[in-house]
């Protein structure tokens, strides 16, 4: 080997070692940088006339198992989805409570039944009826509060969907910019390994928001797709659109609804929560509220306050009641005070098959002390006595309900769902007694009679037929039993989702550990490598120095 060849070979060794030292130092510097993978220097032997003539750097980077990266993204997406759902369910469960730790829904119903029971034994005294009315108010307030908690969670999910869309759009834009940088860097012959690390980190962040599939081109650019092949990033980034708080809950791309294509991740879970999970819980609450309201109203409509009020106004409109009916109803005026309190003053039986309007009823009541009118503003039936109070009795029906029940006469509570349930009576109008007679001169309402209250309490304590609602199946249960079923169902789903989130997180973490072990920076190994490279650098430098000395000596001898 000539001296010049020796110097050239040593020089290539120095340059290569310098690059290796720089890369190793950079590895150590970024050892704790999220998403950074260890880089290595690829080298090749230089040949001259069939002989080795040094070494050169041919690349800087690494070879990542993309299948493993894809698994990590899938696990990240699954974990984010389950954790998001678990967090929302836990929030609602905390608001509603549990059968184990106590629930306002359950305790308020128990308190209402206790208050009714006390009023029964108290003979429907004023204080006991006031307590019963207050307990009824507490129960309806609890229903509204529970419904508001679910709706608040739905509104929160709506806001979070908007935030997730913004984050997805930002990541897609950043990935698009990275694609351009990677293309330019690769074309210039430089290493794009650090850019690809950043790309991989952004893809992982994106997968936490929505389930994706990603492919790399031969130039290192990335292509991203959602479920069903929905394009998110191709030659340019797509922009998703969503209006928070709007009536249109669709996520669109260029005006097309792609909501169904966005699965998994935080966004997919939020969509499912807003469209399915939370509405199911709301449906269960609404079914509970309306079924219990209808149950107690059915019994209350058979009874009357004692003394009875001079005017009864229906809670429902005449048009919605479904007149005409079948059978007969007796309309009475009853003495409200004095020695004749509770006695029948007038009594008229009406064939419901002839009644289609307030005017028809008023005609049928001609000659009595009662007038029937339709409120011009609300469309409700108004029964007014010129003397005494109004009391109804009889088994006439409208559709499947009793006449008073269908119209909403002597109704305790009213509402179309849990959110608008309200109390319509006070302690003076609370129906407590069942009419005992329809004969003029006889006593129909007996002071201290609580037969009406007993009917209401029994209805709540007996099995009630509940239809299927949300995730709750149809069942026959008591009021407290159905509340417990609703709460237990929510608690079970919350626990199951939390367990699923833990399992998904364990899978994600295990895969991440495998990735880090394979491609993360092992500081001990890199430090050992750095020491070895520095020693090699010194040895090569010494060879160059020796060769240079030999060359200088040769030149001196030739002079």
């Amino acid at each position: 080997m000539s001296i010049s060849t020796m110097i050239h070979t040593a020089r290539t060794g120095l340059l290569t070692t310098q690059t290796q030292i720089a890369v190793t130092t950079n590895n150590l510097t970024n050892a704790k940088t999220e998403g950074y993978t260890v880089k290595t220097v690829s080298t090749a032997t230089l040949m001259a006339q069939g002989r080795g003539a040094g070494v050169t750097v041919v690349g800087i980077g690494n070879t990542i198992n993309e299948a493993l990266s894809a698994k990590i993204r899938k696990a990240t997406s699954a974990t984010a989805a389950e954790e998001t759902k678990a967090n929302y369910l836990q929030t609602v469960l905390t608001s509603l409570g549990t059968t184990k730790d106590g629930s306002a829904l359950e305790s308020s119903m128990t308190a209402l039944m206790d208050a009714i029971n006390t009023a029964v034994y108290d003979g429907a005294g004023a204080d006991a009826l006031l307590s019963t009315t207050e307990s009824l108010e507490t129960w309806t307030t609890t229903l509204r509060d529970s419904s508001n908690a679910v709706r608040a969670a739905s509104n929160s999910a709506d806001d979070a969907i908007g935030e997730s869309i913004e984050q997805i759009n930002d990541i897609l834009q950043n990935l698009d910019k990275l694609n351009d940088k990677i293309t330019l860097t690769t074309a210039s012959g430089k290493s794009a390994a650090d850019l690809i690390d950043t790309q991989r980190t952004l893809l992982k962040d994106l997968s936490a928001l929505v389930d994706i599939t990603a492919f790399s081109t031969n130039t290192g650019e990335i292509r991203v797709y959602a479920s069903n092949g929905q394009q998110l990033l191709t030659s340019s980034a797509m922009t998703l659109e969503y209006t928070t708080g709007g009536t249109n809950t669709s996520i669109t791309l260029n005006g097309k609804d792609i909501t169904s294509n966005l699965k998994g991740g935080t966004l997919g879970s939020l969509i499912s929560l807003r469209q399915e999970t939370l509405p199911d819980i709301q449906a269960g609450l609404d079914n509970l509220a309306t079924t219990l309201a209808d149950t107690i109203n059915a019994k209350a409509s058979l009874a009357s306050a004692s003394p009875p009020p001079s005017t009864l106004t229906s809670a429902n409109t005449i048009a919605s009641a479904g007149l005409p009916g079948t059978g007969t109803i007796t309309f009475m005026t009853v003495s409200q005070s004095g020695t004749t309190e509770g006695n029948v003053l007038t009594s008229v039986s009406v064939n419901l098959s002839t009644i289609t309007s307030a005017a028809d009823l008023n005609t049928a009541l001609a000659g009595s002390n009662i007038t029937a009118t339709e409120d011009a503003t609300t469309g409700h039936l108004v029964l007014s006595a010129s003397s005494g109070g109004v009391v109804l009795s009889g088994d006439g029906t409208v559709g499947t309900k009793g006449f008073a029940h269908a119209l909403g006469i002597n109704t305790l509570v009213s509402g179309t769902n849990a959110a608008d349930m309200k109390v319509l009576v006070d302690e003076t109008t609370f129906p407590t007694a069942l009419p005992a007679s329809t004969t003029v001169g006889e006593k129909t309402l007996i002071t201290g009679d609580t037969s009406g209250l007993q009917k209401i309490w029994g209805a709540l304590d007996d099995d009630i037929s509940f239809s299927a609602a949300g995730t709750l199946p149809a069942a026959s249960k008591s009021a407290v039993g159905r509340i417990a079923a609703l709460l237990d169902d929510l608690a079970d789903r919350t626990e199951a989702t939390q367990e699923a989130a833990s399992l998904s997180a364990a899978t994600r973490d295990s895969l991440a550990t495998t990735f880090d072990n394979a491609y993360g920076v092992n500081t001990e190994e890199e430090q050992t490598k750095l020491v070895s490279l520095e020693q090699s650098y010194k040895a090569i430098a010494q060879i160059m120095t020796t060769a240079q000395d030999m060359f200088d000596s040769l030149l001196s001898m030739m002079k």
Side-chain angles (χ1 to χ4, degrees):
M1 179 184 292
S2 66
I3 294 175
S4 61
T5 300
M6 183 184 301
I7 292 174
H8 173 75
T9 301
R11 182 175 179 278
T12 61
L14 280 178
L15 293 174
T16 299
T17 305
Q18 283 178 342
T19 301
Q20 292 173 320
I21 289 173
V23 170
T24 303
T25 301
N26 191 54
N27 286 338
L28 289 168
T29 302
N30 290 283
K32 294 185 178 180
T33 301
E34 183 181 359
Y36 183 84
T37 57
V38 66
K39 308 300 185 301
T40 58
V41 178
S42 298
T43 62
T45 301
L46 293 173
M47 302 298 291
Q49 297 178 351
R51 296 182 179 182
V55 64
T56 187
V57 174
V58 294
I60 299 172
N62 50 30
T63 301
I64 302 297
N65 184 336
E66 292 303 329
L68 177 58
S69 292
K71 288 182 179 179
I72 292 174
R73 289 196 295 269
K74 289 293 183 183
T76 299
S77 179
T79 301
E82 296 292 353
E83 287 179 345
T84 299
K85 182 178 179 181
N87 289 338
Y88 272 83
L89 287 177
Q90 183 60 57
T91 296
V92 175
L93 183 62
T94 300
S95 297
L96 270 59
T98 65
T99 55
K100 178 181 178 182
D101 299 325
S103 164
L105 277 174
E106 190 171 19
S107 61
S108 63
M109 174 51 67
T110 301
L112 172 59
M113 293 182 67
D114 288 344
I116 295 172
N117 190 52
T118 298
V120 168
Y121 284 99
D122 184 65
D127 290 343
L129 287 179
L130 175 61
S131 177
T132 300
T133 304
E134 290 174 343
S135 294
L136 191 59
E137 287 279 7
T138 299
W139 178 64
T140 55
T141 298
T142 302
L143 283 172
R144 293 194 299 271
D145 290 345
S146 298
S147 179
N148 288 338
V150 178
R151 295 191 180 191
S154 182
N155 291 337
S156 175
D158 182 52
D159 291 338
I161 288 173
E163 294 170 0
S164 296
I165 293 298
E166 290 181 2
Q167 293 171 7
I168 288 172
N169 286 336
D170 287 344
I171 292 175
L172 291 174
Q173 288 294 331
N174 289 332
L175 283 170
D176 190 28
K177 293 175 183 177
L178 266 178
N179 277 346
D180 294 338
K181 291 181 180 180
I182 290 171
T183 298
L184 291 173
T185 301
T186 302
S188 67
K190 297 179 181 178
S191 171
D194 286 342
L195 293 175
I196 292 175
D197 279 348
T198 303
Q199 183 188 76
R200 190 180 301 107
T201 299
L202 287 174
L203 286 173
K204 183 180 176 183
D205 293 342
L206 183 59
S207 68
L209 293 167
V210 65
D211 196 15
I212 59 169
T213 301
F215 302 98
S216 294
T217 66
N218 55 8
T219 60
E221 293 182 356
I222 203 74
R223 299 288 183 260
V224 182
Y225 302 85
S227 300
N228 299 330
Q230 176 61 56
Q231 296 178 347
L232 296 179
L233 173 63
T234 52
S235 58
S236 61
M238 308 299 169
T239 300
L240 308 185
E241 295 181 345
Y242 180 75
T243 302
T244 301
T247 55
N248 182 5
T249 59
S250 299
I251 299 170
T252 60
L253 175 61
N254 298 325
K256 177 184 176 182
D257 184 357
I258 64 166
T259 308
S260 61
N261 292 337
L262 301 174
K263 307 290 186 181
T266 298
L267 178 61
S269 185
L270 289 169
I271 293 171
S272 178
L273 280 162
R274 197 180 191 283
Q275 294 184 345
E276 299 172 11
T277 307
L278 294 175
D280 280 348
I281 298 173
Q282 186 66 60
L285 277 172
D286 291 342
N287 174 262
L288 173 73
T290 55
T291 302
L292 291 182
D294 190 65
T295 298
I296 61 177
N297 286 338
K299 300 303 180 182
S301 68
L302 301 174
S304 170
S306 183
S310 299
T311 300
L312 288 176
T313 302
S314 69
N316 304 325
T317 64
I318 297 174
S320 68
L323 293 169
T326 58
T328 61
I329 291 291
T330 300
F331 293 78
M332 298 177 283
T333 56
V334 176
S335 176
Q336 296 169 306
S337 61
T339 57
T340 60
E341 179 180 340
N343 287 2
V344 179
L345 301 177
T346 64
S347 179
V348 176
S349 293
V350 176
N351 183 346
L352 295 181
S353 65
T354 65
I355 306 301
T356 60
S357 65
D360 289 342
L361 181 58
N362 193 57
T363 299
L365 292 173
S368 72
N369 293 335
I370 302 173
T371 58
T373 59
E374 180 177 349
D375 188 291
T377 302
T378 64
H380 293 181
L381 176 65
V382 180
L383 299 172
S384 299
S386 57
S387 63
V390 181
V391 177
L392 277 63
S393 180
D395 57 4
T397 60
V398 178
T400 60
K401 297 181 177 181
F403 173 81
H405 185 200
L407 269 296
I409 296 172
N410 287 322
T411 290
L412 297 182
V413 293
S414 176
T416 58
N417 53 55
D420 63 5
M421 200 63 61
K422 60 183 178 180
V423 177
L424 300 181
V425 296
D426 58 27
E427 66 274 17
T428 65
T429 59
F430 203 109
T432 58
L434 296 175
S437 174
T438 59
T439 303
V440 174
E442 292 187 359
K443 189 175 289 293
T444 187
L445 297 179
I446 302 170
T447 301
D449 177 27
T450 61
S451 54
L453 288 173
Q454 293 175 48
K455 288 283 187 180
I456 295 170
W457 187 92
L460 292 173
D461 188 54
D462 291 340
D463 282 348
I464 301 167
S465 179
F466 290 90
S467 60
T471 56
L472 290 174
S476 292
K477 292 181 178 292
S478 67
V480 173
R482 183 64 168 190
I483 293 172
L486 185 151
L487 297 174
D488 288 344
D489 176 67
L490 177 56
D492 289 344
R493 284 194 288 157
T494 302
E495 183 179 4
T497 305
Q498 290 170 338
E499 291 177 353
S502 296
L503 289 173
S504 294
T507 300
R508 176 202 61 193
D509 294 344
S510 176
L511 290 169
T513 298
T514 300
F515 186 91
D516 289 341
N517 289 339
Y519 308 111
V521 178
N522 185 317
T523 54
E524 291 185 3
E525 290 182 1
E526 293 301 301
Q527 286 170 347
T528 300
K529 183 191 296 183
L530 183 59
V531 170
S532 177
L533 289 170
E534 288 173 343
Q535 291 173 346
S536 296
Y537 187 87
K538 290 178 182 179
I540 296 170
Q542 183 60 50
I543 291 173
M544 282 196 68
T545 299
T546 300
Q548 188 63 49
D549 289 345
M550 291 173 64
F551 187 75
D552 291 343
S553 296
L554 181 60
L555 287 177
S556 177
M557 291 171 62
M558 294 175 63
K559 290 181 179 180

